[in-house]
Amino acid sequence: MHFGELIKTIKERREIMQVTQETLAELSGVGLRTLKQFESGKGNPTLRTLQKLADVLGMEIYLKLKNVSHR
Amino acid sequence: MHFGELIKTIKERREIMQVTQETLAELSGVGLRTLKQFESGKGNPTLRTLQKLADVLGMEIYLKLKNVSHR
DNA sequence: CTCCGAAGTGCATTTTATAGCTCTTTTTTG
DNA sequence: CAAAAAAGAGCTATAAAATGCACTTCGGAG
């Protein structure tokens, strides 16, 4: 997933859970400003920040091998 | 994946590819010091840094829903 | 044991993420 | 439409990530 997709995933998941940015910020311990910046595509969060958000959203960060089929 | 697992995954993948930290640093555009810190478990990389590494290693970052079965 | 390459660490600097406060804009709701 | 809620953005301070350089440690080869 590219940057934008990760952002989109977080944002959509938050919306599905019907949680405001403010609530997610509080629940996750991430600053509201930080979350806002991130969701509006202007951030470059640290891994820990992303994990805090993912945790609350019931998500997990994965690293997996790409499909290595060259065409 | 938790923090340590992500680190381990990167490191193992690098070793499988038989690339030194120095080479990976060059290929990915991440500073050698940054990579060293990260692999030795002392970092909290930004998403972009992690993605640069993952790219070169042929890996991808994913966000996926956890298994929500509460016991 | 010695040499050498790779990995780990201390120090210093620059850049940038985090975060709070306030204000503006957009969206939702009655 | 009007009010309220939520999201986005400017300004600013602080902490921390990114990075380079030099030095140390570790593991393997000879």
mmCIF file of all heavy atoms in Angstrom, chain D residues 4-6 9-11 13-14 16 19 21:
data_model
loop_
_atom_site.group_PDB
_atom_site.id
_atom_site.type_symbol
_atom_site.label_atom_id
_atom_site.label_comp_id
_atom_site.label_asym_id
_atom_site.label_seq_id
_atom_site.Cartn_x
_atom_site.Cartn_y
_atom_site.Cartn_z
ATOM 1 P P DA D 4 -25.888 26.816 17.982
ATOM 2 O OP1 DA D 4 -26.375 26.616 19.371
ATOM 3 O OP2 DA D 4 -24.918 27.885 17.667
ATOM 4 O "O5'" DA D 4 -25.326 25.436 17.456
ATOM 5 C "C5'" DA D 4 -26.201 24.307 17.347
ATOM 6 C "C4'" DA D 4 -25.393 23.079 16.978
ATOM 7 O "O4'" DA D 4 -24.994 23.164 15.588
ATOM 8 C "C3'" DA D 4 -24.109 22.914 17.783
ATOM 9 O "O3'" DA D 4 -23.947 21.541 18.118
ATOM 10 C "C2'" DA D 4 -23.013 23.393 16.834
ATOM 11 C "C1'" DA D 4 -23.583 22.989 15.476
ATOM 12 N N9 DA D 4 -23.139 23.800 14.341
ATOM 13 C C8 DA D 4 -22.938 25.157 14.302
ATOM 14 N N7 DA D 4 -22.537 25.606 13.126
ATOM 15 C C5 DA D 4 -22.476 24.464 12.343
ATOM 16 C C6 DA D 4 -22.122 24.257 10.988
ATOM 17 N N6 DA D 4 -21.760 25.236 10.162
ATOM 18 N N1 DA D 4 -22.174 22.991 10.518
ATOM 19 C C2 DA D 4 -22.546 22.013 11.351
ATOM 20 N N3 DA D 4 -22.901 22.083 12.636
ATOM 21 C C4 DA D 4 -22.842 23.349 13.078
ATOM 22 P P DA D 5 -22.669 21.060 18.944
ATOM 23 O OP1 DA D 5 -23.156 20.195 20.044
ATOM 24 O OP2 DA D 5 -21.814 22.231 19.228
ATOM 25 O "O5'" DA D 5 -21.944 20.122 17.884
ATOM 26 C "C5'" DA D 5 -22.724 19.227 17.091
ATOM 27 C "C4'" DA D 5 -21.832 18.606 16.026
ATOM 28 O "O4'" DA D 5 -21.560 19.571 14.984
ATOM 29 C "C3'" DA D 5 -20.476 18.142 16.561
ATOM 30 O "O3'" DA D 5 -20.217 16.845 16.049
ATOM 31 C "C2'" DA D 5 -19.490 19.177 16.016
ATOM 32 C "C1'" DA D 5 -20.166 19.623 14.729
ATOM 33 N N9 DA D 5 -19.861 20.987 14.300
ATOM 34 C C8 DA D 5 -19.841 22.126 15.056
ATOM 35 N N7 DA D 5 -19.550 23.215 14.374
ATOM 36 C C5 DA D 5 -19.375 22.748 13.070
ATOM 37 C C6 DA D 5 -19.056 23.402 11.869
ATOM 38 N N6 DA D 5 -18.852 24.716 11.766
ATOM 39 N N1 DA D 5 -18.953 22.642 10.751
ATOM 40 C C2 DA D 5 -19.157 21.326 10.846
ATOM 41 N N3 DA D 5 -19.473 20.601 11.930
ATOM 42 C C4 DA D 5 -19.559 21.382 13.013
ATOM 43 P P DA D 6 -18.899 16.063 16.504
ATOM 44 O OP1 DA D 6 -19.271 14.639 16.664
ATOM 45 O OP2 DA D 6 -18.235 16.790 17.607
ATOM 46 O "O5'" DA D 6 -18.008 16.188 15.192
ATOM 47 C "C5'" DA D 6 -18.584 15.843 13.934
ATOM 48 C "C4'" DA D 6 -17.616 16.189 12.816
ATOM 49 O "O4'" DA D 6 -17.589 17.616 12.617
ATOM 50 C "C3'" DA D 6 -16.175 15.744 13.067
ATOM 51 O "O3'" DA D 6 -15.736 15.015 11.936
ATOM 52 C "C2'" DA D 6 -15.411 17.058 13.249
ATOM 53 C "C1'" DA D 6 -16.248 18.035 12.430
ATOM 54 N N9 DA D 6 -16.171 19.430 12.850
ATOM 55 C C8 DA D 6 -16.281 19.937 14.113
ATOM 56 N N7 DA D 6 -16.183 21.248 14.178
ATOM 57 C C5 DA D 6 -15.999 21.623 12.859
ATOM 58 C C6 DA D 6 -15.825 22.884 12.242
ATOM 59 N N6 DA D 6 -15.815 24.044 12.914
ATOM 60 N N1 DA D 6 -15.660 22.911 10.901
ATOM 61 C C2 DA D 6 -15.670 21.749 10.234
ATOM 62 N N3 DA D 6 -15.826 20.510 10.696
ATOM 63 C C4 DA D 6 -15.984 20.524 12.029
ATOM 64 P P DA D 9 -5.895 21.631 4.839
ATOM 65 O OP1 DA D 9 -5.811 21.960 3.396
ATOM 66 O OP2 DA D 9 -5.122 20.501 5.399
ATOM 67 O "O5'" DA D 9 -5.535 22.937 5.679
ATOM 68 C "C5'" DA D 9 -6.304 24.124 5.500
ATOM 69 C "C4'" DA D 9 -5.687 25.262 6.301
ATOM 70 O "O4'" DA D 9 -6.071 25.153 7.685
ATOM 71 C "C3'" DA D 9 -4.152 25.260 6.290
ATOM 72 O "O3'" DA D 9 -3.702 26.606 6.216
ATOM 73 C "C2'" DA D 9 -3.788 24.631 7.619
ATOM 74 C "C1'" DA D 9 -4.927 25.130 8.501
ATOM 75 N N9 DA D 9 -5.224 24.278 9.651
ATOM 76 C C8 DA D 9 -5.284 22.911 9.686
ATOM 77 N N7 DA D 9 -5.596 22.426 10.870
ATOM 78 C C5 DA D 9 -5.737 23.558 11.655
ATOM 79 C C6 DA D 9 -6.054 23.725 13.016
ATOM 80 N N6 DA D 9 -6.309 22.716 13.837
ATOM 81 N N1 DA D 9 -6.118 24.992 13.484
ATOM 82 C C2 DA D 9 -5.875 26.000 12.645
ATOM 83 N N3 DA D 9 -5.570 25.964 11.359
ATOM 84 C C4 DA D 9 -5.518 24.700 10.922
ATOM 85 P P DG D 10 -2.157 26.886 6.003
ATOM 86 O OP1 DG D 10 -1.975 27.567 4.710
ATOM 87 O OP2 DG D 10 -1.401 25.653 6.305
ATOM 88 O "O5'" DG D 10 -1.874 27.933 7.173
ATOM 89 C "C5'" DG D 10 -2.702 29.105 7.281
ATOM 90 C "C4'" DG D 10 -2.257 29.920 8.494
ATOM 91 O "O4'" DG D 10 -2.726 29.281 9.706
ATOM 92 C "C3'" DG D 10 -0.739 30.054 8.636
ATOM 93 O "O3'" DG D 10 -0.434 31.377 9.090
ATOM 94 C "C2'" DG D 10 -0.380 29.013 9.680
ATOM 95 C "C1'" DG D 10 -1.632 28.959 10.550
ATOM 96 N N9 DG D 10 -1.902 27.657 11.143
ATOM 97 C C8 DG D 10 -1.905 26.446 10.504
ATOM 98 N N7 DG D 10 -2.201 25.444 11.288
ATOM 99 C C5 DG D 10 -2.416 26.038 12.525
ATOM 100 C C6 DG D 10 -2.776 25.454 13.773
ATOM 101 O O6 DG D 10 -2.980 24.268 14.044
ATOM 102 N N1 DG D 10 -2.890 26.413 14.779
ATOM 103 C C2 DG D 10 -2.691 27.750 14.606
ATOM 104 N N2 DG D 10 -2.844 28.516 15.678
ATOM 105 N N3 DG D 10 -2.354 28.313 13.445
ATOM 106 C C4 DG D 10 -2.236 27.395 12.452
ATOM 107 P P DC D 11 1.086 31.831 9.237
ATOM 108 O OP1 DC D 11 1.142 33.280 8.989
ATOM 109 O OP2 DC D 11 1.964 30.911 8.485
ATOM 110 O "O5'" DC D 11 1.324 31.572 10.800
ATOM 111 C "C5'" DC D 11 0.407 32.116 11.755
ATOM 112 C "C4'" DC D 11 0.937 31.905 13.160
ATOM 113 O "O4'" DC D 11 0.452 30.632 13.656
ATOM 114 C "C3'" DC D 11 2.462 31.864 13.229
ATOM 115 O "O3'" DC D 11 2.920 32.628 14.343
ATOM 116 C "C2'" DC D 11 2.777 30.388 13.397
ATOM 117 C "C1'" DC D 11 1.553 29.890 14.155
ATOM 118 N N1 DC D 11 1.247 28.451 13.972
ATOM 119 C C2 DC D 11 0.831 27.702 15.077
ATOM 120 O O2 DC D 11 0.719 28.252 16.168
ATOM 121 N N3 DC D 11 0.566 26.388 14.905
ATOM 122 C C4 DC D 11 0.696 25.823 13.700
ATOM 123 N N4 DC D 11 0.410 24.523 13.601
ATOM 124 C C5 DC D 11 1.113 26.566 12.570
ATOM 125 C C6 DC D 11 1.369 27.874 12.739
ATOM 126 P P DA D 13 7.682 30.256 19.623
ATOM 127 O OP1 DA D 13 7.947 31.500 20.355
ATOM 128 O OP2 DA D 13 8.465 29.954 18.399
ATOM 129 O "O5'" DA D 13 7.809 29.037 20.641
ATOM 130 C "C5'" DA D 13 6.734 28.769 21.550
ATOM 131 C "C4'" DA D 13 6.878 27.352 22.078
ATOM 132 O "O4'" DA D 13 6.418 26.418 21.077
ATOM 133 C "C3'" DA D 13 8.322 26.971 22.405
ATOM 134 O "O3'" DA D 13 8.348 26.288 23.654
ATOM 135 C "C2'" DA D 13 8.740 26.070 21.246
ATOM 136 C "C1'" DA D 13 7.418 25.452 20.815
ATOM 137 N N9 DA D 13 7.339 25.125 19.385
ATOM 138 C C8 DA D 13 7.685 25.918 18.322
ATOM 139 N N7 DA D 13 7.476 25.354 17.149
ATOM 140 C C5 DA D 13 6.952 24.113 17.467
ATOM 141 C C6 DA D 13 6.519 23.037 16.671
ATOM 142 N N6 DA D 13 6.540 23.041 15.341
ATOM 143 N N1 DA D 13 6.056 21.942 17.298
ATOM 144 C C2 DA D 13 6.029 21.931 18.636
ATOM 145 N N3 DA D 13 6.407 22.879 19.491
ATOM 146 C C4 DA D 13 6.863 23.954 18.835
ATOM 147 P P DT D 14 9.761 25.759 24.210
ATOM 148 O OP1 DT D 14 9.717 25.874 25.679
ATOM 149 O OP2 DT D 14 10.879 26.368 23.431
ATOM 150 O "O5'" DT D 14 9.653 24.214 23.827
ATOM 151 C "C5'" DT D 14 8.470 23.496 24.180
ATOM 152 C "C4'" DT D 14 8.639 22.040 23.787
ATOM 153 O "O4'" DT D 14 8.459 21.889 22.359
ATOM 154 C "C3'" DT D 14 10.016 21.458 24.108
ATOM 155 O "O3'" DT D 14 9.828 20.155 24.646
ATOM 156 C "C2'" DT D 14 10.708 21.405 22.758
ATOM 157 C "C1'" DT D 14 9.536 21.136 21.831
ATOM 158 N N1 DT D 14 9.710 21.527 20.427
ATOM 159 C C2 DT D 14 9.255 20.671 19.448
ATOM 160 O O2 DT D 14 8.721 19.605 19.696
ATOM 161 N N3 DT D 14 9.435 21.114 18.164
ATOM 162 C C4 DT D 14 10.027 22.289 17.764
ATOM 163 O O4 DT D 14 10.128 22.569 16.574
ATOM 164 C C5 DT D 14 10.490 23.152 18.842
ATOM 165 C C7 DT D 14 11.148 24.444 18.510
ATOM 166 C C6 DT D 14 10.312 22.725 20.104
ATOM 167 P P DA D 16 11.336 12.932 23.139
ATOM 168 O OP1 DA D 16 10.575 11.827 23.745
ATOM 169 O OP2 DA D 16 12.642 13.346 23.705
ATOM 170 O "O5'" DA D 16 11.545 12.600 21.600
ATOM 171 C "C5'" DA D 16 10.424 12.609 20.728
ATOM 172 C "C4'" DA D 16 10.901 12.453 19.297
ATOM 173 O "O4'" DA D 16 11.471 13.691 18.814
ATOM 174 C "C3'" DA D 16 11.994 11.402 19.119
ATOM 175 O "O3'" DA D 16 11.764 10.738 17.904
ATOM 176 C "C2'" DA D 16 13.256 12.233 19.048
ATOM 177 C "C1'" DA D 16 12.742 13.426 18.264
ATOM 178 N N9 DA D 16 13.538 14.636 18.350
ATOM 179 C C8 DA D 16 14.156 15.174 19.442
ATOM 180 N N7 DA D 16 14.805 16.290 19.183
ATOM 181 C C5 DA D 16 14.594 16.481 17.829
ATOM 182 C C6 DA D 16 15.014 17.484 16.934
ATOM 183 N N6 DA D 16 15.765 18.520 17.290
ATOM 184 N N1 DA D 16 14.635 17.380 15.644
ATOM 185 C C2 DA D 16 13.880 16.335 15.287
ATOM 186 N N3 DA D 16 13.417 15.339 16.026
ATOM 187 C C4 DA D 16 13.817 15.475 17.301
ATOM 188 P P DT D 19 17.801 10.019 6.209
ATOM 189 O OP1 DT D 19 17.574 10.420 4.802
ATOM 190 O OP2 DT D 19 17.687 8.605 6.605
ATOM 191 O "O5'" DT D 19 19.222 10.557 6.646
ATOM 192 C "C5'" DT D 19 19.457 11.960 6.623
ATOM 193 C "C4'" DT D 19 20.854 12.278 7.100
ATOM 194 O "O4'" DT D 19 20.873 12.397 8.541
ATOM 195 C "C3'" DT D 19 21.905 11.225 6.748
ATOM 196 O "O3'" DT D 19 22.873 11.810 5.904
ATOM 197 C "C2'" DT D 19 22.525 10.837 8.076
ATOM 198 C "C1'" DT D 19 22.143 11.987 8.978
ATOM 199 N N1 DT D 19 22.022 11.637 10.408
ATOM 200 C C2 DT D 19 22.552 12.500 11.344
ATOM 201 O O2 DT D 19 23.089 13.565 11.055
ATOM 202 N N3 DT D 19 22.446 12.091 12.639
ATOM 203 C C4 DT D 19 21.876 10.922 13.080
ATOM 204 O O4 DT D 19 21.847 10.660 14.284
ATOM 205 C C5 DT D 19 21.332 10.066 12.062
ATOM 206 C C7 DT D 19 20.687 8.770 12.435
ATOM 207 C C6 DT D 19 21.436 10.467 10.788
ATOM 208 P P DC D 21 30.442 12.568 6.058
ATOM 209 O OP1 DC D 21 31.132 13.631 5.289
ATOM 210 O OP2 DC D 21 30.242 11.230 5.464
ATOM 211 O "O5'" DC D 21 31.209 12.377 7.442
ATOM 212 C "C5'" DC D 21 31.300 13.475 8.349
ATOM 213 C "C4'" DC D 21 32.064 13.064 9.594
ATOM 214 O "O4'" DC D 21 31.152 12.457 10.547
ATOM 215 C "C3'" DC D 21 33.159 12.030 9.326
ATOM 216 O "O3'" DC D 21 34.346 12.404 10.028
ATOM 217 C "C2'" DC D 21 32.581 10.736 9.858
ATOM 218 C "C1'" DC D 21 31.696 11.234 10.992
ATOM 219 N N1 DC D 21 30.565 10.342 11.328
ATOM 220 C C2 DC D 21 30.157 10.235 12.667
ATOM 221 O O2 DC D 21 30.735 10.910 13.519
ATOM 222 N N3 DC D 21 29.144 9.400 12.967
ATOM 223 C C4 DC D 21 28.545 8.689 11.999
ATOM 224 N N4 DC D 21 27.545 7.891 12.354
ATOM 225 C C5 DC D 21 28.946 8.792 10.638
ATOM 226 C C6 DC D 21 29.940 9.620 10.344
#
